[in-house]
Amino acid sequence: MSDRNRNQLPNNLPQLQNLIKRDPDSYFEEFQQQHRHYQSQLQVYQLKPTEHSKDLTDLTMFLCQIAHCYSKELSGLPIQLTDLLQRHGSQMNPDTRMVLCRGLIILRNRGLMSPTSLLELFFELFRCQDRALRQMLYNHIVSDIKSVNAKHKNNKLNTSLQNFMYRMLQDSSSVAARMSLNVMVELYKKNVWKDAKTVNVIVTGCFSKVTKIMVTAIKFFLGVDEEEDESDSEQDDEKIDPKHLLIADKVNKKTKKRKKKFQRAMKMVKKQKKKHKPETFNFSALHLVHDPQGFAEKLFKQLDKSNERFEVKLMTMNLISRLIGVHQLFLFNFYPYLQRFIQPHQREVTSVLLFAAQATHELVPPEIIQNMVKTIANNFVTERNSNEVMAVGMNAIREVCARCPLAMNSDLMQDLAQYKKYRNKAVVASARSLIQLYRSNNPELLHKKDRFLHSSSQGKPTEASVEVKVKQYGEVVAPDFVQGAEVLAEDSEEAGAESKTGKDDEWETASEDSDDSDGSWHDVHHSSDEAETVKDEDNPSKNLTSEEKKDRAAGISQSRLITQSEFQKIRLNQLQREIISAKPAKGKKRKFHEVETGESENCELISINRIESIQSRPRHDKEARMATVLAGKTPKEKIRDKKRKRNPKASTTNKEKARLKPYMMVKQKKGVRGKHKRSFREKQLALRDALIKKAKMKR
């Protein structure tokens, strides 16, 4: 019999695999033959597990591919491969180990083995010195856990794996511990394990003796709130308009190629519509820490004794400051530690100033923050430093005092306020922003002429400054109504009628010039029993005392819902009260657009731009000014005195040709002098002739 007619199935495993998947019963005998061959090869391999066996790897992949066809006969295959990797995984040949792991992944995808046993095995294989294997295992673990929790959370699996990962973080192999930490971080970012247990397991990574593990855990807490999914943002940028697609499909010629392109484009449009869903608010990882006070204390203790690089210390300081600011912790030794780095020549000093502002809150004793504010003022806000350094120091003081207003005393505040007339605009802008902050928080610390918006007010308080009350240390104000709601109508129907008629209130006319009042002041009537008020028929709150305003605001805010437009109306009214004097002088008026809003938002995270921002352009030196002048000039064309030819295609004259010829071609011709210097004798004769000629002319 020829070789063409022989049965090659026992030697051609891919062909046999294809036939078995189509008809398992017809090829059962061939399967049993290959299974017995696999058992014998497995026994031989266990005698020498360090050597590579191609027959064993081929048979393993063959059996894993058809395991779902003979599930009863191959029920022990996952256990055999798992035991083999557990006993000899570290000393196996890399190719053999990779094939066995891929076979287990195939069995897991077919649902022939539980995820717990496989994932725990893969976590242990992270100890192997094989980068390609670790990357493959990492991708499978993340995708498998994500698919298991896709429809509903598998709490039993998640709990067992999280407990196992907690033990892996303490593993002697730094590579295995770091890969386990990366898996948890990735699952948190993908909203699979976004719970408190995962966060607190990652907390233990911040105290690892391995620098890479510690840095990865710290970066997780510093970067989760700021990082976004870059892939989604890039895809959202390229949006497709379905109207253009429909018009183009109607106009263009109908072809199969254009029809397929149109269908693909419409699928992209549907995907974009699905992505535009309302965003859900997610708590940051710092809010899920069980013991933030103990976490911050351990981090600071580790930082104080650390010998790591300065970049690692900066990240640790950043995390501690965020913990203190978010949870309002008490860590008094942290502030003197920061003061050691608050020097203008210090590397990354603006980041240190940012950490000082983040670690400040109202519950910190003012005496501790005052020392830090004085350190910043003494080291930065002095004339021996450059203008940029002074502006940065003033901005840092503003950010610290915005979170702890009691950290400033009157003497220092009045000294800093004098820089509002400094020769540099950046320093002036920073000083004015600090003054504006204390105008709304504690005007008594300022000099009398600086307490209000303009010097033209001559020390007269505004309506808002009259009601300012300085909070003492530890005092908490919990209002039970919307402040400023007294300017609204008491009934929702009246409010709707006002919006339909389009009547503008008096506080709105202060922002623009109207024909009726021209922004002028109303008459003031004094009363012995009540405080002085301003009459205004449109605004019912103008004629009320402070207690009556509170009662009216409480009644309105507790009786009905307040719309967004009404909140805007309240805000505009509060801004107007900051510029309207409580005792206005005759003939003096203030415009609404003159309000300065330099307040700092008291948010958890502070942008570095609030400290590094310099609000004026530096003066140009001579080189910069000359570069600007030259850049604005247009190049002038060279003007030549040439006679225009009547015909541009005409040939040139002999004179023009001679002018363009090289010198060596024409130097021998008549009329061309040689280029040689006169000798000393020739110069004597020429001078003699010149003197004789001059003497004859005098006669």
Side-chain angles (χ1 to χ4, degrees):
M1 185 180 292
S2 62
D3 295 339
R4 183 178 301 175
N5 297 327
R6 286 179 182 175
N7 186 7
Q8 298 180 358
L9 288 180
N11 299 325
N12 193 347
L13 292 179
Q15 183 182 1
L16 179 60
Q17 172 185 323
N18 186 22
L19 294 173
I20 289 176
K21 288 182 179 180
R22 293 182 179 182
D23 190 1
D25 297 334
S26 301
Y27 296 92
F28 184 71
E29 294 181 1
E30 286 81 357
F31 157 70
Q32 286 183 332
Q33 181 183 358
Q34 298 297 335
H35 189 221
R36 289 192 297 269
H37 190 199
Y38 163 75
Q39 296 291 347
S40 61
Q41 289 290 334
L42 182 62
Q43 293 177 1
V44 173
Y45 178 76
Q46 289 179 352
L47 299 176
K48 296 181 179 180
T50 57
E51 296 182 0
H52 177 62
S53 176
K54 189 175 185 305
D55 294 337
L56 178 64
T57 55
D58 293 342
L59 288 169
T60 301
M61 289 301 297
F62 168 75
L63 294 178
C64 291
Q65 290 287 350
I66 64 171
H68 63 286
C69 299
Y70 308 103
S71 58
K72 184 178 180 180
E73 289 78 5
L74 295 177
S75 58
L77 181 62
I79 300 176
Q80 288 179 349
L81 297 180
T82 303
D83 293 340
L84 188 63
L85 286 170
Q86 285 178 346
R87 285 183 294 174
H88 309 291
S90 59
Q91 51 185 330
M92 272 187 181
N93 182 273
D95 297 334
T96 306
R97 186 172 52 217
M98 180 71 74
V99 171
L100 296 180
C101 291
R102 287 177 177 172
L104 287 174
I105 291 174
I106 293 173
L107 295 175
R108 171 69 190 100
N109 294 336
R110 299 279 171 83
L112 299 177
M113 64 182 305
S114 62
T116 306
S117 59
L118 179 62
L119 295 179
E120 290 182 358
L121 171 64
F122 282 179
F123 276 112
E124 293 177 357
L125 291 178
F126 277 146
R127 302 189 183 102
C128 299
Q129 300 297 324
D130 189 351
R131 181 174 296 179
L133 175 69
R134 292 197 302 267
Q135 187 62 37
M136 185 192 70
L137 299 180
Y138 171 82
N139 295 333
H140 172 73
I141 290 172
V142 173
S143 61
D144 193 18
I145 296 176
K146 184 179 179 181
S147 61
V148 169
N149 294 274
K151 295 182 179 179
H152 58 85
K153 296 291 183 182
N154 192 339
N155 294 325
K156 184 178 180 180
L157 174 65
N158 295 338
T159 303
S160 61
L161 289 178
Q162 287 170 350
N163 294 333
F164 184 79
M165 288 184 183
Y166 179 77
R167 296 194 301 269
M168 286 297 298
L169 286 178
Q170 314 299 328
D171 195 84
S172 58
S173 175
S174 61
V175 178
R178 183 159 54 90
M179 293 299 293
S180 302
L181 180 61
N182 291 338
V183 169
M184 286 186 287
V185 171
E186 186 67 21
L187 291 173
Y188 185 92
K189 291 180 180 179
K190 292 182 179 295
N191 294 330
V192 179
W193 281 3
K194 204 162 189 178
D195 54 353
K197 187 169 185 179
T198 305
V199 172
N200 287 276
V201 171
I202 299 176
V203 164
T204 60
C206 296
F207 307 106
S208 175
K209 295 181 180 179
V210 182
T211 304
K212 289 185 177 180
I213 298 176
M214 180 182 64
V215 169
T216 303
I218 293 176
K219 283 184 176 180
F220 165 76
F221 288 102
L222 296 179
V224 167
D225 300 327
E226 302 168 2
E227 292 179 356
E228 297 179 354
D229 192 356
E230 297 179 358
S231 60
D232 293 343
S233 62
E234 290 176 358
Q235 292 177 2
D236 290 341
D237 292 340
E238 300 178 358
K239 295 182 179 179
I240 303 174
D241 191 357
K243 294 182 180 180
H244 294 299
L245 294 176
L246 294 173
I247 295 173
D249 185 61
K250 291 179 181 179
V251 174
N252 293 335
K253 185 179 179 181
K254 302 296 186 294
T255 60
K256 291 183 178 180
K257 184 177 180 181
R258 286 180 177 173
K259 184 179 180 180
K260 291 180 180 179
K261 291 177 66 176
F262 175 74
Q263 292 175 353
R264 287 197 299 266
M266 292 304 296
K267 288 181 181 180
M268 292 293 296
V269 172
K270 292 180 180 179
K271 289 182 180 179
Q272 289 177 359
K273 290 182 179 179
K274 292 180 180 179
K275 289 179 182 178
H276 294 288
K277 296 180 180 179
E279 297 181 358
T280 57
F281 177 76
N282 294 320
F283 288 101
S284 65
L286 294 178
H287 290 88
L288 301 177
V289 178
H290 287 328
D291 184 14
Q293 181 68 38
F295 183 29
E297 290 177 356
K298 290 180 182 179
L299 276 177
F300 179 68
K301 185 177 180 180
Q302 176 178 281
L303 174 65
D304 198 14
K305 298 180 180 179
S306 176
N307 294 325
E308 299 288 346
R309 294 180 293 115
F310 184 68
E311 291 79 8
V312 179
K313 290 185 177 181
L314 278 179
M315 287 191 292
T316 308
M317 285 189 283
N318 191 5
L319 179 55
I320 295 173
S321 65
R322 289 193 185 187
L323 282 169
I324 295 174
V326 170
H327 296 280
Q328 294 189 344
L329 307 178
F330 294 101
L331 195 62
F332 299 151
N333 294 334
F334 181 65
Y335 303 99
Y337 181 84
L338 289 178
Q339 293 180 26
R340 300 188 306 184
F341 300 95
I342 300 179
Q343 299 289 340
H345 61 272
Q346 174 65 45
R347 184 160 56 108
E348 300 292 339
V349 67
T350 54
S351 299
V352 178
L353 295 174
L354 176 68
F355 305 154
Q358 285 181 168
T360 306
H361 54 86
E362 293 182 349
L363 298 182
V364 181
E367 297 80 10
I368 297 176
I369 307 298
Q370 283 178 1
N371 294 331
M372 187 169 62
V373 171
K374 289 180 181 178
T375 302
I376 298 174
N378 294 334
N379 295 340
F380 284 81
V381 192
T382 57
E383 295 188 0
R384 65 175 180 270
N385 293 329
S386 63
N387 299 325
E388 291 79 7
V389 172
M390 295 175 65
V392 167
M394 202 87 71
N395 292 339
I397 293 174
R398 182 197 64 219
E399 295 300 321
V400 171
C401 294
R403 286 149 185 81
C404 185
L406 298 178
M408 182 68 68
N409 55 40
S410 59
D411 295 337
L412 181 60
M413 184 67 240
Q414 293 179 10
D415 291 343
L416 296 177
Q418 294 179 2
Y419 286 98
K420 68 178 183 179
K421 297 183 179 179
Y422 197 67
R423 60 179 178 269
N424 182 262
K425 292 182 179 180
V427 180
V428 170
S430 301
R432 287 180 178 176
S433 64
L434 182 61
I435 293 172
Q436 179 61 25
L437 173 66
Y438 275 92
R439 280 178 184 153
S440 56
N441 290 341
N442 191 0
E444 295 181 357
L445 293 182
L446 298 169
H447 195 272
K448 189 175 181 180
K449 62 182 179 180
D450 296 330
R451 293 179 183 177
F452 312 107
L453 192 60
H454 295 287
S455 59
S456 60
S457 60
Q458 298 296 329
K460 297 173 183 176
T462 61
E463 292 182 3
S465 63
V466 171
E467 300 177 1
V468 171
K469 292 183 179 180
V470 182
K471 292 198 305 182
Q472 300 300 323
Y473 174 68
E475 181 181 358
V476 179
V477 178
D480 55 353
F481 61 92
V482 179
Q483 296 181 356
E486 64 273 5
V487 300
L488 304 177
E490 294 185 356
D491 192 1
S492 59
E493 296 180 357
E494 297 178 5
E498 288 182 2
S499 61
K500 289 180 181 179
T501 54
K503 292 183 179 180
D504 296 329
D505 295 334
E506 181 60 25
W507 54 271
E508 291 177 338
T509 60
S511 62
E512 42 185 45
D513 298 331
S514 61
D515 298 333
D516 298 334
S517 60
D518 195 20
S520 59
W521 296 102
H522 294 274
D523 296 333
V524 178
H525 295 264
H526 303 278
S527 174
S528 59
D529 299 333
E530 299 179 351
E532 297 169 350
T533 58
V534 182
K535 288 185 177 181
D536 195 340
E537 296 178 357
D538 295 335
N539 192 347
S541 64
K542 287 287 186 178
N543 300 323
L544 301 177
T545 62
S546 60
E547 294 297 331
E548 292 175 346
K549 287 181 180 180
K550 292 180 181 179
D551 295 339
R552 178 181 172 84
I556 293 173
S557 57
Q558 295 173 5
S559 61
R560 66 182 182 87
L561 296 176
I562 300 177
T563 62
Q564 190 66 29
S565 59
E566 290 176 337
F567 275 114
Q568 185 179 4
K569 182 178 180 179
I570 293 172
R571 177 58 180 160
L572 291 174
N573 179 264
Q574 291 175 347
L575 290 176
Q576 186 199 9
R577 291 167 63 192
E578 293 181 5
I579 62 173
I580 296 179
S581 177
K583 297 180 180 180
K586 185 178 181 181
K588 291 185 179 180
K589 59 183 180 180
R590 308 271 290 284
K591 292 185 178 180
F592 180 76
H593 60 79
E594 294 178 353
V595 179
E596 297 179 6
T597 56
E599 299 179 0
S600 175
E601 297 180 358
N602 191 4
C603 55
E604 293 180 359
L605 302 181
I606 308 172
S607 175
I608 191 67
N609 295 329
R610 295 194 62 83
I611 294 178
E612 293 181 349
S613 62
I614 298 176
Q615 300 181 11
S616 66
R617 185 174 60 185
R619 294 182 61 185
H620 285 185
D621 53 2
K622 185 177 180 180
E623 295 179 357
R625 291 197 301 270
M626 289 300 298
T628 306
V629 171
L630 295 176
K633 286 186 176 182
T634 56
K636 296 181 179 179
E637 298 180 356
K638 294 182 179 180
I639 301 174
R640 297 179 179 178
D641 296 331
K642 291 185 177 180
K643 295 181 180 179
R644 294 184 179 180
K645 302 176 183 177
R646 295 181 180 179
N647 186 3
K649 296 182 179 180
S651 61
T652 57
T653 61
N654 292 335
K655 188 175 182 181
E656 292 176 350
K657 290 178 180 178
R659 191 186 311 120
L660 298 176
K661 286 182 179 180
Y663 172 72
M664 298 300 295
M665 294 177 63
V666 296
K667 72 174 185 177
Q668 298 297 335
K669 292 187 177 181
K670 187 177 180 180
V672 179
R673 295 184 56 189
K675 288 188 176 180
H676 61 275
K677 295 182 179 180
R678 291 186 299 174
S679 63
F680 181 73
R681 179 58 181 168
E682 291 176 347
K683 291 179 180 180
Q684 283 183 331
L685 296 176
L687 178 61
R688 184 196 63 184
D689 296 339
L691 293 175
I692 293 173
K693 185 176 180 180
K694 185 177 182 180
K696 289 181 178 179
M697 291 178 64
K698 287 183 179 180
R699 296 176 183 175

